[in-house]
């Protein structure tokens, strides 16, 4: 099946540091999306990527759709405490597949 | 835009009872909605795809007679957990796909179901 490998599983960083996480797959996806989930809440869409090579920013967040269409990364610059949460990547062809998530902890 | 609501946010029920969860797209029409289940510290598991006016498509291993899905309008889908048991306790999340962008899903806030 279309498995997504998301890494790292968890990150513990200091406030102000930059963060990078990525997703890879053995299959090609037509769309890559990044979501953030806070405890007890549903995932919130951060960035959607629709074209190979596309680089998109949303405030301090930047995500790229890999040229091979098999990977994507998400960067967060100058992290703040409210960035804490679980970040999920998702790839879409006929249906949506999710990565296992990256749990981010930001120490003030 | 693209707001999805769920109701209730939390529900506690006795074993053997049925529970209905509503998912609404508030500012767009959703021909397709999705129901997910999420266990603690795990990713989202797709249970079924709900298409307006037709029967839902269930993922392998999901009992369609236990998890009844109805998508009667372009803004409302419901999931009914029938004869609930403690092992059905979980976080249920719906999402809706905006028609113009068929590959972007917007999620509801989730429903925490606890079966005693």
């Amino acid at each position: 099946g279309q498995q997504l490998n998301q890494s790292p599983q968890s990150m513990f960083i200091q406030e102000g540091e930059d963060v990078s996480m990525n997703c890879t797959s053995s299959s090609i996806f037509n769309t890559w999306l990044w979501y953030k989930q806070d405890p007890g809440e549903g995932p919130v869409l951060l960035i959607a990527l629709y074209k190979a090579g596309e680089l998109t920013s949303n405030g301090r967040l930047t995500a790229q759709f890999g040229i091979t269409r098999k990977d994507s990364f998400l960067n967060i610059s100058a992290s703040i405490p409210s960035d804490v949460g679980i970040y999920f990547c998702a790839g879409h062809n006929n249906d949506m597949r999710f990565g296992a998530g990256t749990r981010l902890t930001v120490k003030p | 835009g693209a707001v999805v609501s769920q109701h209730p946010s939390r529900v506690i029920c006795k074993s053997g009872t049925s529970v209905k969860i509503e998912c609404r797209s508030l500012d767009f029409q959703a021909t397709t909605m999705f129901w997910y289940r999420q266990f603690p510290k795990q990713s989202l598991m797709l249970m079924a795809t709900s298409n307006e006016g037709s029967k839902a498509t269930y993922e392998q291993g999901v009992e369609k007679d236990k998890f009844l899905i109805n998508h009667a309008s372009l803004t409302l889908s419901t999931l009914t957990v029938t004869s609930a048991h403690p092992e059905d306790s979980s976080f249920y999340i719906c999402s809706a796909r905006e028609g113009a962008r068929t590959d972007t899903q917007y999620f509801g806030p989730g429903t925490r179901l606890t079966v005693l």
Side-chain angles (χ1 to χ4, degrees):
Chain A
Q2 298 172 319
Q3 300 296 323
L4 295 189
N5 299 306
Q6 186 172 349
S7 65
Q9 280 189 331
S10 60
M11 301 183 75
F12 296 82
I13 63 168
Q14 207 71 40
E15 183 178 1
E17 291 183 354
D18 296 342
V19 173
S20 185
M21 60 191 78
N22 69 84
C23 262
T24 61
S25 172
S26 58
S27 303
I28 289 173
F29 285 99
N30 294 321
T31 303
W32 282 93
L33 305 102
W34 286 91
Y35 292 88
K36 183 191 177 203
Q37 186 177 28
D38 291 327
E41 300 288 333
V44 173
L45 180 65
L46 299 174
I47 293 178
L49 303 158
Y50 303 110
K51 287 172 55 177
E54 180 180 353
L55 183 71
T56 298
S57 293
N58 178 7
R60 294 179 294 106
L61 278 61
T62 302
Q64 184 158 32
F65 190 145
I67 288 290
T68 64
R69 295 166 64 193
K70 294 182 179 180
D71 63 306
S72 177
F73 72 74
L74 174 71
N75 287 343
I76 305 173
S77 63
S79 59
I80 59 178
S82 61
D83 290 334
V84 165
I86 303 175
Y87 292 80
F88 289 102
C89 64
H92 185 277
N93 284 330
N94 296 316
D95 56 12
M96 187 96 81
R97 300 290 167 175
F98 287 87
T102 295
R103 186 179 296 270
L104 178 64
T105 302
V106 179
K107 292 179 281 188
Chain B
V3 179
V4 177
S5 71
Q6 261 182 262
H7 178 79
S9 57
R10 290 178 178 272
V11 57
I12 300 173
C13 70
K14 292 182 179 179
S15 187
T17 61
S18 294
V19 174
K20 180 186 284 188
I21 303 170
E22 292 185 348
C23 177
R24 294 182 186 271
S25 56
L26 298 185
D27 52 0
F28 66 100
Q29 292 186 329
T31 54
T32 305
M33 290 183 171
F34 304 85
W35 287 96
Y36 293 83
R37 185 172 179 177
Q38 188 178 33
F39 293 102
K41 298 187 178 181
Q42 293 191 21
S43 189
L44 294 86
M45 183 186 78
L46 180 65
M47 298 174 65
T49 301
S50 167
N51 294 297
E52 186 265 337
S54 63
K55 289 184 179 180
T57 303
Y58 290 82
E59 295 297 300
Q60 192 172 10
V62 178
E63 299 174 61
K64 60 182 179 182
D65 293 331
K66 179 165 189 62
F67 299 99
L68 300 179
I69 291 172
N70 183 278
H71 193 158
S73 79
L74 287 172
T75 59
L76 173 64
S77 176
T78 60
L79 167 69
T80 301
V81 182
T82 62
S83 187
H85 290 284
E87 58 265 30
D88 298 324
S89 298
S90 190
F91 194 52
Y92 292 88
I93 311 173
C94 73
S95 71
R97 196 163 64 188
E98 193 177 13
R101 191 75 244 184
T102 59
D103 43 9
T104 301
Q105 293 180 27
Y106 298 92
F107 286 86
T111 296
R112 171 74 58 193
L113 170 64
T114 302
V115 184
L116 302 176

Coordinates of all heavy atoms in Angstrom, one line a residue, chain B residues 37-94:
Chain B
R37 N -10.9 7.3 13.0 CA -10.8 6.9 14.4 C -9.4 7.1 14.7 O -8.5 6.8 13.9 CB -11.3 5.5 14.5 CG -11.3 5.0 16.0 CD -12.0 3.6 16.0 NE -12.0 3.1 17.4 CZ -12.6 2.0 17.8 NH1 -13.1 1.2 16.9 NH2 -12.6 1.6 19.0
Q38 N -9.1 7.6 15.9 CA -7.8 7.8 16.4 C -7.6 7.3 17.8 O -8.3 7.7 18.7 CB -7.4 9.3 16.3 CG -6.0 9.6 16.6 CD -5.6 11.1 16.5 OE1 -6.4 11.9 16.8 NE2 -4.4 11.4 16.0
F39 N -6.6 6.4 17.9 CA -6.3 5.9 19.2 C -5.2 6.8 19.8 O -4.5 7.4 19.1 CB -5.8 4.4 19.1 CG -6.9 3.5 18.8 CD1 -7.1 3.0 17.5 CD2 -7.9 3.1 19.7 CE1 -8.1 2.2 17.1 CE2 -8.9 2.3 19.3 CZ -9.0 1.8 18.0
P40 N -5.0 6.7 21.1 CA -4.0 7.6 21.8 C -2.6 7.5 21.2 O -2.1 6.4 21.0 CB -4.0 7.1 23.2 CG -5.4 6.6 23.4 CD -5.8 6.0 22.1
K41 N -2.0 8.6 20.9 CA -0.7 8.7 20.4 C -0.5 7.9 19.0 O 0.6 7.5 18.7 CB 0.3 8.1 21.4 CG 0.3 8.9 22.7 CD 1.4 8.5 23.6 CE 1.4 9.4 24.9 NZ 2.5 9.0 25.8
Q42 N -1.6 7.8 18.3 CA -1.5 7.2 17.0 C -2.1 8.1 15.9 O -2.7 9.1 16.2 CB -2.2 5.9 17.0 CG -1.6 4.8 17.9 CD -2.2 3.4 17.6 OE1 -2.8 3.2 16.6 NE2 -2.0 2.5 18.6
S43 N -1.8 7.7 14.7 CA -2.3 8.5 13.6 C -3.8 8.2 13.3 O -4.4 7.5 14.0 CB -1.5 8.2 12.3 OG -1.8 9.1 11.3
L44 N -4.3 8.9 12.3 CA -5.7 8.8 12.0 C -6.0 7.5 11.2 O -5.2 7.2 10.2 CB -6.2 10.0 11.3 CG -6.3 11.3 12.0 CD1 -4.9 12.0 11.9 CD2 -7.4 12.2 11.5
M45 N -7.0 6.8 11.5 CA -7.3 5.6 10.8 C -8.6 5.8 10.1 O -9.7 6.0 10.7 CB -7.4 4.4 11.7 CG -7.7 3.1 11.0 SD -8.0 1.7 12.2 CE -9.7 2.1 12.7
L46 N -8.6 5.8 8.8 CA -9.9 6.0 8.0 C -10.8 4.8 8.2 O -10.4 3.6 8.1 CB -9.5 6.1 6.5 CG -10.7 6.3 5.6 CD1 -11.4 7.7 5.9 CD2 -10.3 6.3 4.1
M47 N -12.0 5.2 8.6 CA -13.1 4.1 8.8 C -13.9 4.0 7.5 O -14.2 2.9 7.1 CB -14.0 4.5 10.0 CG -13.3 4.6 11.3 SD -14.4 5.2 12.6 CE -15.6 3.9 12.7
A48 N -14.4 5.1 7.0 CA -15.3 5.1 5.9 C -15.3 6.4 5.1 O -15.0 7.4 5.7 CB -16.7 4.7 6.4
T49 N -15.7 6.3 3.9 CA -15.9 7.5 3.1 C -17.4 7.6 2.8 O -18.1 6.7 2.4 CB -15.2 7.3 1.7 OG1 -13.8 7.2 2.0 CG2 -15.4 8.6 0.8
S50 N -17.9 8.8 3.1 CA -19.4 9.1 3.0 C -19.7 10.0 1.8 O -19.2 11.1 1.8 CB -19.8 9.7 4.3 OG -21.1 10.2 4.2
N51 N -20.5 9.5 0.9 CA -20.8 10.3 -0.3 C -22.3 10.7 -0.2 O -23.2 9.9 0.1 CB -20.6 9.5 -1.6 CG -19.1 9.3 -1.8 OD1 -18.4 10.2 -2.0 ND2 -18.8 8.0 -1.8
E52 N -22.6 12.0 -0.4 CA -23.9 12.5 -0.3 C -24.9 11.7 -1.2 O -24.6 11.6 -2.4 CB -24.0 14.0 -0.6 CG -25.3 14.7 -0.4 CD -26.1 14.7 -1.6 OE1 -25.6 14.7 -2.7 OE2 -27.4 14.9 -1.5
G53 N -25.9 11.2 -0.6 CA -27.0 10.5 -1.4 C -26.7 9.1 -1.8 O -27.5 8.5 -2.5
S54 N -25.6 8.6 -1.3 CA -25.3 7.2 -1.6 C -24.7 6.5 -0.4 O -24.4 7.1 0.6 CB -24.3 7.1 -2.8 OG -23.1 7.6 -2.5
K55 N -24.5 5.2 -0.5 CA -24.0 4.4 0.6 C -22.6 4.7 0.9 O -21.8 5.0 -0.1 CB -24.2 2.9 0.3 CG -25.6 2.4 0.4 CD -25.7 0.9 0.2 CE -27.1 0.4 0.2 NZ -27.2 -1.0 0.0
A56 N -22.2 4.6 2.1 CA -20.8 4.8 2.5 C -19.9 3.7 2.0 O -20.4 2.5 1.9 CB -20.7 5.0 4.0
T57 N -18.7 4.0 1.8 CA -17.7 3.0 1.5 C -16.8 2.7 2.7 O -16.2 3.7 3.2 CB -16.8 3.4 0.3 OG1 -17.6 3.7 -0.8 CG2 -15.8 2.3 0.0
Y58 N -16.8 1.5 3.2 CA -16.1 1.2 4.4 C -14.7 0.6 4.2 O -14.5 -0.1 3.2 CB -16.9 0.2 5.3 CG -18.2 0.8 5.9 CD1 -19.3 1.0 5.1 CD2 -18.2 1.3 7.2 CE1 -20.5 1.5 5.6 CE2 -19.3 1.9 7.7 CZ -20.4 2.0 7.0 OH -21.6 2.5 7.5
E59 N -13.8 0.9 5.0 CA -12.4 0.4 4.9 C -12.5 -1.1 5.4 O -13.4 -1.5 6.2 CB -11.4 1.2 5.7 CG -11.2 2.6 5.2 CD -10.6 2.6 3.8 OE1 -9.5 2.1 3.6 OE2 -11.3 3.1 2.9
Q60 N -11.5 -1.8 5.0 CA -11.5 -3.2 5.4 C -11.3 -3.3 6.9 O -10.6 -2.6 7.5 CB -10.2 -3.9 4.7 CG -10.2 -5.4 4.8 CD -9.1 -6.0 3.9 OE1 -8.2 -5.3 3.5 NE2 -9.1 -7.3 3.8
G61 N -12.1 -4.2 7.4 CA -12.1 -4.5 8.9 C -13.1 -3.6 9.7 O -13.2 -3.8 10.9
V62 N -13.7 -2.6 9.0 CA -14.7 -1.8 9.7 C -16.1 -2.4 9.5 O -16.5 -2.5 8.4 CB -14.6 -0.3 9.2 CG1 -15.7 0.5 9.9 CG2 -13.2 0.2 9.4
E63 N -16.8 -2.6 10.6 CA -18.1 -3.3 10.5 C -19.2 -2.2 10.1 O -19.5 -1.3 10.9 CB -18.5 -3.9 11.8 CG -17.6 -5.0 12.3 CD -17.9 -5.4 13.7 OE1 -19.1 -5.9 13.9 OE2 -17.1 -5.3 14.6
K64 N -19.7 -2.3 9.0 CA -20.7 -1.4 8.5 C -22.0 -1.4 9.3 O -22.7 -0.4 9.4 CB -21.0 -1.5 7.0 CG -21.5 -2.8 6.6 CD -21.7 -2.9 5.1 CE -22.2 -4.2 4.6 NZ -22.4 -4.3 3.1
D65 N -22.3 -2.6 9.9 CA -23.6 -2.7 10.6 C -23.4 -2.1 12.0 O -24.4 -1.8 12.7 CB -24.0 -4.1 10.8 CG -24.4 -4.7 9.4 OD1 -24.9 -3.9 8.6 OD2 -24.2 -5.9 9.2
K66 N -22.1 -1.9 12.4 CA -21.9 -1.4 13.7 C -21.7 0.2 13.6 O -22.1 0.9 14.5 CB -20.6 -2.0 14.3 CG -20.3 -1.4 15.7 CD -19.3 -2.3 16.4 CE -19.2 -1.8 17.8 NZ -20.4 -1.9 18.6
F67 N -21.1 0.6 12.6 CA -20.8 2.0 12.4 C -21.6 2.5 11.2 O -21.2 2.4 10.1 CB -19.3 2.3 12.1 CG -18.4 1.9 13.3 CD1 -17.7 0.7 13.3 CD2 -18.3 2.7 14.4 CE1 -16.9 0.3 14.3 CE2 -17.5 2.3 15.5 CZ -16.8 1.1 15.4
L68 N -22.8 2.9 11.5 CA -23.8 3.4 10.5 C -23.5 4.8 10.1 O -23.5 5.7 10.9 CB -25.2 3.2 11.0 CG -25.7 1.8 11.4 CD1 -27.1 1.9 11.9 CD2 -25.5 0.8 10.3
I69 N -23.4 5.0 8.8 CA -23.1 6.3 8.3 C -24.2 6.8 7.3 O -24.6 6.0 6.5 CB -21.7 6.4 7.5 CG1 -20.6 6.2 8.6 CG2 -21.5 7.7 6.8 CD1 -19.2 6.0 7.9
N70 N -24.6 8.0 7.6 CA -25.7 8.6 6.7 C -25.2 10.0 6.3 O -24.7 10.8 7.0 CB -27.0 8.7 7.5 CG -28.1 9.3 6.6 OD1 -28.2 10.5 6.4 ND2 -28.9 8.4 6.1
H71 N -25.3 10.2 5.0 CA -24.9 11.5 4.4 C -26.1 12.1 3.6 O -26.1 12.0 2.4 CB -23.7 11.3 3.5 CG -22.9 12.5 3.2 ND1 -21.6 12.5 2.8 CD2 -23.3 13.8 3.1 CE1 -21.2 13.8 2.5 NE2 -22.2 14.6 2.7
A72 N -27.0 12.6 4.3 CA -28.3 12.9 3.7 C -28.3 14.3 3.0 O -29.2 14.5 2.2 CB -29.4 12.9 4.8
S73 N -27.4 15.1 3.3 CA -27.3 16.4 2.7 C -25.9 16.8 2.4 O -24.9 16.1 2.8 CB -28.0 17.5 3.5 OG -27.1 17.9 4.6
L74 N -25.7 17.9 1.6 CA -24.3 18.3 1.3 C -23.6 18.9 2.4 O -22.4 19.3 2.3 CB -24.4 19.3 0.1 CG -24.8 18.7 -1.2 CD1 -25.0 19.7 -2.3 CD2 -23.7 17.7 -1.7
T75 N -24.2 19.1 3.6 CA -23.5 19.7 4.7 C -23.6 18.8 6.0 O -23.1 19.3 7.0 CB -24.1 21.1 5.0 OG1 -25.5 20.9 5.3 CG2 -23.9 22.0 3.9
L76 N -24.1 17.7 5.9 CA -24.3 16.9 7.1 C -24.0 15.4 6.9 O -24.6 14.8 6.0 CB -25.7 17.0 7.7 CG -26.1 16.2 8.9 CD1 -25.2 16.5 10.1 CD2 -27.5 16.3 9.2
S77 N -23.2 14.8 7.7 CA -23.0 13.4 7.7 C -23.1 12.9 9.2 O -22.6 13.7 10.1 CB -21.6 13.0 7.1 OG -21.4 11.6 7.2
T78 N -23.7 11.8 9.4 CA -23.7 11.3 10.8 C -23.1 9.9 10.9 O -23.2 9.1 9.9 CB -25.2 11.2 11.2 OG1 -25.9 10.3 10.4 CG2 -25.8 12.6 11.3
L79 N -22.5 9.6 12.0 CA -22.0 8.3 12.3 C -22.7 7.8 13.6 O -22.7 8.5 14.6 CB -20.4 8.4 12.6 CG -19.8 7.2 13.2 CD1 -19.7 6.0 12.2 CD2 -18.3 7.5 13.7
T80 N -23.3 6.7 13.5 CA -24.0 6.1 14.6 C -23.2 4.8 15.0 O -23.1 3.9 14.2 CB -25.4 5.8 14.3 OG1 -26.1 6.9 13.9 CG2 -26.1 5.2 15.5
V81 N -22.7 4.8 16.2 CA -22.1 3.7 16.8 C -23.2 2.8 17.5 O -23.7 3.3 18.5 CB -21.0 4.0 17.8 CG1 -20.3 2.8 18.3 CG2 -20.0 5.0 17.1
T82 N -23.5 1.7 16.9 CA -24.6 0.9 17.4 C -24.1 -0.1 18.5 O -23.0 -0.6 18.4 CB -25.3 0.2 16.3 OG1 -24.4 -0.7 15.7 CG2 -25.9 1.2 15.3
S83 N -24.9 -0.3 19.5 CA -24.6 -1.3 20.5 C -23.1 -1.1 21.0 O -22.3 -2.1 20.8 CB -24.9 -2.7 20.0 OG -24.7 -3.7 21.1
A84 N -22.9 0.0 21.4 CA -21.5 0.4 21.8 C -20.9 -0.5 22.9 O -21.6 -0.9 23.8 CB -21.4 1.9 22.1
H85 N -19.6 -0.8 22.8 CA -18.9 -1.5 23.8 C -17.7 -0.8 24.2 O -17.3 0.1 23.5 CB -18.6 -2.9 23.3 CG -19.7 -3.8 23.1 ND1 -20.4 -4.5 24.1 CD2 -20.4 -4.2 22.0 CE1 -21.4 -5.2 23.7 NE2 -21.4 -5.0 22.3
P86 N -17.1 -1.1 25.4 CA -15.9 -0.3 25.8 C -14.8 -0.2 24.8 O -14.1 0.8 24.7 CB -15.5 -1.1 27.1 CG -16.8 -1.6 27.6 CD -17.6 -2.0 26.4
E87 N -14.7 -1.3 24.0 CA -13.6 -1.2 23.0 C -13.9 -0.2 21.9 O -13.0 0.1 21.0 CB -13.3 -2.6 22.4 CG -14.5 -3.2 21.7 CD -15.3 -4.2 22.7 OE1 -15.3 -3.9 23.9 OE2 -15.9 -5.1 22.2
D88 N -15.1 0.3 21.8 CA -15.4 1.3 20.8 C -15.0 2.7 21.3 O -15.1 3.7 20.6 CB -16.9 1.3 20.5 CG -17.4 0.0 19.9 OD1 -16.6 -0.6 19.1 OD2 -18.5 -0.4 20.2
S89 N -14.6 2.8 22.6 CA -14.2 4.1 23.1 C -13.0 4.6 22.3 O -12.0 3.8 22.1 CB -13.8 3.9 24.6 OG -14.9 3.5 25.4
S90 N -13.1 5.8 21.9 CA -12.0 6.3 21.0 C -12.3 7.8 20.7 O -13.3 8.3 21.1 CB -11.9 5.5 19.7 OG -10.8 5.8 18.9
F91 N -11.4 8.4 19.9 CA -11.6 9.7 19.4 C -12.0 9.6 17.9 O -11.3 9.0 17.1 CB -10.3 10.5 19.5 CG -10.4 12.0 19.4 CD1 -11.3 12.7 20.1 CD2 -9.5 12.7 18.5 CE1 -11.4 14.1 19.9 CE2 -9.6 14.0 18.3 CZ -10.5 14.8 19.1
Y92 N -13.2 10.1 17.6 CA -13.7 10.0 16.2 C -13.7 11.4 15.6 O -14.2 12.3 16.2 CB -15.2 9.4 16.3 CG -15.3 8.0 16.7 CD1 -15.4 7.7 18.1 CD2 -15.2 7.0 15.8 CE1 -15.4 6.4 18.5 CE2 -15.2 5.6 16.2 CZ -15.4 5.4 17.5 OH -15.4 4.0 18.0
I93 N -13.1 11.4 14.4 CA -12.9 12.7 13.7 C -13.5 12.6 12.3 O -13.2 11.6 11.6 CB -11.4 13.1 13.6 CG1 -10.7 12.9 15.0 CG2 -11.3 14.5 13.1 CD1 -9.2 13.1 14.9
C94 N -14.3 13.6 12.0 CA -14.7 13.6 10.6 C -14.0 14.7 9.8 O -13.3 15.5 10.4 CB -16.2 13.9 10.5 SG -16.6 15.6 10.9

